[in-house]
Amino acid sequence: MSTTRETAPRVSGGFRVRRDSRLSRYGMLGLVAVCIGLAGLPYVVYESVTSSLVTLFVLIAMASMWNLLAGFGGMASIGQQAYVGIGGYTVIWAADQGINPFLGIAVAALFSAVLAVPTSLLAFRLRGDYFAVGTWVIAEVYRLLVIKSDSLGGPSGRALTGLSDMGLTARNAATYWAALVVAVVCVAAGYLLLRGRVGLSLTAVRDDEIAARAAGVDVTTAKRIVYLVSAAGCGAAGGVVVVDALSIQPTAIFSVQWSAYMIFIVVIGGIGYLEGPLLGAVVFFALQQYLADYGTWYLILLGVVAAASAVWMPRGLWGQVVHRTGLRLFPVGYRLDRTDQQ
Amino acid sequence: MGLLNAVVQGVLLGGLYALYAAGLSLMFGVMRIVNLAHGDLGVVAAYVALVLVTHTFLPVWAAVVVTVLLSAVAGYLLQRLLLQRSLSSGPLATLLVTFGLSVILQNVLQELFSADTRSLDTGTFATAAIHLGEISVSYLGLLGLGLALATIVGVQLYLSRTATGRMMRAASDDPEVATLVGADARHVYAVATSIALASVALAGMVFAMRSSFSPTIGSMSLIFAFEAVVIGGLGSLWGTLLGGLGLGLAQSIVGYYDPADSILAGHLLFLAVLALRPQGILAARGT
């Protein structure tokens, strides 16, 4: 099962196997243009716009990681807040050691992935729905352990040090860029991972796990890699949350609410499509902003929409787009084109 | 003597956890569904009972009976109208639907009743206890343990002695073959969910009589119930009872030494079982 030659177009008879289409190449170019445009935004718009976009980027990063985990790895977790919290506290800890909080976000990603190794050993003993609740319990354990640490602020949390000598405008812009980078890296990492050997293994597992194992696919390793990447991404997102808020509170950063956000976004946007979380996050974000004055009703509405999508529209909004137009911004599969009719 | 008392309290608390867990265990055993809204449905029952007691002439015991009956009906409808459809929409659908339901219930309760803590007042019954030296056995604790035992014995008898119960086991083993031989899997599943909701309603109301409750405590109940099921062994109701007692004992005994660590102790017992004996104390037959 060699994956090294797969990107070269293979020609056989009158057909050609390719990953991308003209539409997806334009889509990809469009996305790059959007990213460049977003990067320039702090020079153009008010800070209130960029600071609310930080929330959107965090949601995109987290939801992309959950989609990778559940949509491609088949591991629906309700415990990714464990890594949001660990990432957040890593930034706090790193700042105490004199590490710049923005650099601390990278440390947070790394440390989250390291802690995900022993966590996965326990969590992988549970399957399916039980894995979901088991990861939630593990997140609670991390929260309760953090609360016991006085140097991390105990139950009431702490303020983030190390950014006080930075000007407000510069800090807001830097936070915005950090959030944008984390979101882009999370989406790109998912894309690259799925194009490679891991993606091929996961596709084989999704189609038929027993057959995949029999064919020599190392299922557990593929799943573990996905789990670690997902932990790193959520850790980085948690780091951004703390840099943005300048403080941390254990109940909030380890809240299962993060998982609720990730799940709603992915389910509404389209689970199992890399584009799904992007679309879902925009919908979620718009509703959150629009219904901000009505308490938690936006969450109730999203819960209803998510539950309804899970039953009646299991492929989400992006599934509808693909069904109607065949558009894939991130081509991770293969498509068959006729070459003799042109 | 303090430690002995902690053990007794642990058993009583474990009884309540087992009562919470029985329905979760049954739904998993029959349909392979983990109902993430399980704890929240118990909280809803507590609020329904509270509304009945405050706004009608019903005494508490009658409100409890009415709420259990309402929950049983709600369970039947929940399965037929929502969960049954999700069973055929892919492996993640039930998880996503019940998780969505959980978030919806918590937030609706919060909008309706605010985030304030409430309690279900049972007058002198709430504080009544049998005193044996330093050990006090509260009536409410006994009620929880007794209801847990009654529920588990009742469900076991139902599964082995009645036609519907036997069909439930058949549908659990193989829904398609069970349907071929005349079982109505959808009806049988709905009856199982109905029993699960009635039992979790009881658990939610006993909890509400023991201590104060608020819209968001359902998550904690779900986690404890889940831990009881896994510690006991998936798919075994007697295991669930043992798991509940184990969890209650771990929390109560560690809590006797340091109350701040009681919940963590329960989680660590769960993780230890996962690491050392993932099939649980009593593994289910044939799985």
Side-chain angles (χ1 to χ4, degrees), chain B residues 31-252:
Chain B
M31 295 164 279
R32 305 286 179 269
I33 288 179
V34 176
N35 178 10
L36 294 174
H38 191 72
D40 303 299
L41 290 162
V43 181
V44 169
Y47 275 103
V48 170
L50 185 69
V51 168
L52 286 176
V53 170
T54 16
H55 295 291
T56 65
F57 57 90
L58 289 177
V60 174
W61 67 266
V64 168
V65 172
V66 170
T67 308
V68 167
L69 292 175
L70 285 176
S71 297
V73 174
Y76 193 92
L77 294 176
L78 175 70
Q79 178 66 36
R80 287 305 287 257
L81 300 179
L82 193 62
L83 298 183
Q84 187 64 43
R85 284 169 211 268
S86 72
L87 278 174
S88 51
S89 302
L92 290 179
T94 39
L95 185 84
L96 301 173
V97 166
T98 56
F99 186 72
L101 187 62
S102 162
V103 174
I104 295 166
L105 290 178
Q106 284 191 15
N107 286 290
V108 167
L109 285 177
Q110 205 148 331
E111 293 291 338
L112 290 179
F113 298 97
S114 84
D116 298 345
T117 55
R118 308 289 178 92
S119 60
L120 203 51
D121 189 14
T122 50
T124 52
F125 185 69
T127 49
I130 305 165
H131 292 279
L132 301 165
E134 284 183 42
I135 302 168
S136 78
V137 184
S138 70
Y139 285 2
L140 271 175
L142 281 177
L143 180 69
L145 183 60
L147 285 173
L149 281 170
T151 303
I152 287 170
V153 170
V155 171
Q156 288 287 9
L157 286 175
Y158 181 75
L159 288 175
S160 55
R161 298 287 168 81
T162 68
T164 317
R166 281 193 290 267
M167 280 184 197
M168 207 175 273
R169 279 157 53 209
S172 160
D173 288 342
D174 191 331
E176 280 165 20
V177 175
T179 310
L180 278 181
V181 298
D184 180 356
R186 286 179 302 175
H187 170 69
V188 164
Y189 282 180
V191 171
T193 308
S194 173
I195 296 172
L197 254 69
S199 68
V200 80
L202 274 177
M205 288 184 286
V206 173
F207 180 93
M209 293 172 189
R210 279 176 65 122
S211 52
S212 58
F213 63 99
S214 68
T216 49
I217 59 141
S219 302
M220 232 358 144
S221 321
L222 169 73
I223 287 184
F224 292 158
F226 171 77
E227 289 178 332
V229 173
V230 174
I231 292 170
L234 300 186
S236 156
L237 277 170
W238 290 113
T240 299
L241 179 65
L242 282 182
L245 293 179
L247 184 66
L249 281 170
Q251 289 187 357
S252 181

Side-chain angles (χ1 to χ4, degrees), chain A residues 260-300:
Chain A
Y261 292 170
M262 297 178 212
I263 293 171
F264 289 173
I265 289 172
V266 172
V267 171
I268 293 171
I271 190 166
Y273 298 105
L274 284 168
E275 300 88 346
L278 296 177
L279 187 56
V282 171
V283 171
F284 182 97
F285 181 72
L287 269 177
Q288 196 181 32
Q289 300 286 318
Y290 191 65
L291 297 175
D293 297 335
Y294 301 96
T296 56
W297 284 106
Y298 82 94
L299 214 51
I300 297 169

Side-chain angles (χ1 to χ4, degrees), chain A residues 176-187:
Chain A
Y176 173 83
W177 283 318
L180 180 61
V181 167
V182 167
V184 169
V185 169
C186 281
V187 174

Side-chain angles (χ1 to χ4, degrees), chain A residues 66 70-71 74-78 122-123 125-126 128-134 136-138 140-141 143-145 148 256-257 259-261 263-264 267 271 294-297 299-300 302-308 310-312 314, chain B residues 24-25 28 32-34 36 81-82 85-86 89 91-97 99-104 107-108 110-111 219-220 222-223 226-227 229-230 234-235 258 260-261 263-264 267-268 270-271 273-278:
Chain A
W66 194 84
M75 295 172 281
S77 162
I78 320 177
L122 275 177
R125 286 174 173 257
L126 292 166
D129 294 4
Y130 275 76
F131 173 84
V133 194
W136 189 359
V137 174
I138 293 171
E140 281 294 297
V141 169
R143 179 177 68 85
L144 291 168
L145 289 176
K148 287 170 74 74
V256 71
Q257 194 107 314
S259 281
Y261 292 170
I263 293 171
F264 289 173
V267 171
I271 190 166
Y294 301 96
T296 56
W297 284 106
L299 214 51
I300 297 169
L302 282 163
V304 171
V305 174
V311 178
W312 287 283
Chain B
L24 198 67
S25 185
F28 180 79
R32 305 286 179 269
I33 288 179
V34 176
L36 294 174
L81 300 179
L82 193 62
R85 284 169 211 268
S86 72
S89 302
L92 290 179
T94 39
L95 185 84
L96 301 173
V97 166
F99 186 72
L101 187 62
S102 162
V103 174
I104 295 166
N107 286 290
V108 167
Q110 205 148 331
E111 293 291 338
S219 302
M220 232 358 144
L222 169 73
I223 287 184
F226 171 77
E227 289 178 332
V229 173
V230 174
L234 300 186
D258 185 357
D261 284 339
I263 297 200
L264 184 60
H267 293 336
L268 293 180
F270 163 79
L271 292 181
V273 168
L274 213 53
L276 304 174
R277 195 177 160 78

